[in-house]
Amino acid sequence: MIDVRGVHHLGLTVGDLATACAFYGAAGYRLADRLTVGGPDAAVGNGLDAASLEIAFVAEPGLTLELVEFDPSDPRPVAATDPGFGSVPVGRSDVERDPDGRPVTFGPPAAGLLVTSSAPERTIGLLGVLGFDRDGRNEVVGHGVRVEVVGVPAGRRTPANAPGRVHLCCEVADMRKACDELAARSFELVSTPRVSGGLSWVFVSNPEGPGVELLAIDTP
């Protein structure tokens, strides 16, 4: 079993970062950090030929969102029938969808996230390796978060830069051990881990479902 310290964030690919920040700010999330990521790691780590990223981290008690605007972005947004789509918990009940078309859920993250996958059993299995326990036919729970995995037809691959896509990031205690454990269970990685200062991160190859990211933070 991989030593997972917890869910670090829920990532949302957005069409316009300013619009997304305003929406989630009105929904009770506060801006925690903002940064620009460029260079080869931004592309290679996300399985793209080219990419630069504008990122904002917004947080409420119990959940941090990573809002990511890609340049270039995929011209076709993710729909509810595509793999990698999902819902987002917000602290307001007067809206049904966010600016990129995701349904919003009124309540805390423990009330549940919803993600789509064209191979639900594989996605559930991957989350199981990360310490989530199955709780019902298509639900897993762990690290203070409940995730419902909804099956959708197999279709086109959902790239990281498609607005509407979601990814779940788990912080791990040891990146090398985590990667070795995934390989032992036949899960491949999008790239080798990318390293920046005291951070290392990598995406698990999961084209059938949402993005799954591992993050390790070296502390002095």
Side-chain angles (χ1 to χ4, degrees):
M1 183 70 68
I2 294 174
D3 185 357
V4 176
R5 292 176 171 169
V7 171
H8 187 269
H9 64 260
L10 177 66
L12 312 177
T13 301
V14 302
D16 182 85
L17 188 60
T19 299
C21 284
F23 176 86
Y24 286 104
Y29 286 83
R30 60 174 180 81
L31 181 66
D33 197 9
R34 187 159 179 169
L35 63 150
T36 300
V37 178
D41 282 348
V44 172
N46 284 285
L48 301 169
D49 294 330
S52 62
L53 287 63
E54 294 289 335
I55 299 173
F57 285 95
V58 297
E60 69 164 5
L63 183 66
T64 296
L65 302 181
E66 181 192 34
L67 309 176
V68 187
E69 180 182 348
F70 282 82
D71 183 20
S73 63
D74 192 85
R76 179 178 177 269
V78 182
T81 54
D82 295 321
F85 190 72
S87 66
V88 184
V90 300
R92 56 188 288 189
S93 58
D94 59 328
V95 293
E96 295 183 354
R97 294 183 178 273
D98 77 357
D100 293 291
R102 302 178 192 86
V104 296
T105 305
F106 180 65
L113 309 176
L114 180 150
V115 297
T116 59
S117 174
S118 60
E121 286 298 321
R122 185 180 187 279
T123 296
I124 289 171
L126 172 56
L127 294 175
V129 178
L130 296 174
F132 289 84
D133 295 317
R134 195 161 196 157
D135 186 27
R137 181 180 177 186
N138 291 314
E139 293 186 1
V140 296
V141 62
H143 314 299
V145 175
R146 178 179 296 276
V147 183
E148 180 183 0
V149 182
V150 176
V152 295
R156 72 161 192 139
R157 169 183 168 272
T158 303
N161 60 339
R165 179 182 182 266
V166 301
H167 74 263
L168 188 67
C169 177
C170 290
E171 183 181 345
V172 298
D174 188 305
M175 180 63 79
R176 182 184 61 80
K177 289 182 178 179
C179 292
D180 288 346
E181 179 69 15
L182 286 167
R185 295 173 180 260
S186 301
F187 289 103
E188 298 180 354
L189 304 176
V190 169
S191 68
T192 56
R194 307 288 95 186
V195 179
S196 177
L199 302 178
S200 59
W201 57 275
V202 70
F203 276 94
V204 184
S205 180
N206 186 42
E208 302 90 354
V212 175
E213 181 184 9
L214 306 183
L215 174 72
I217 303 174
D218 289 337
T219 55

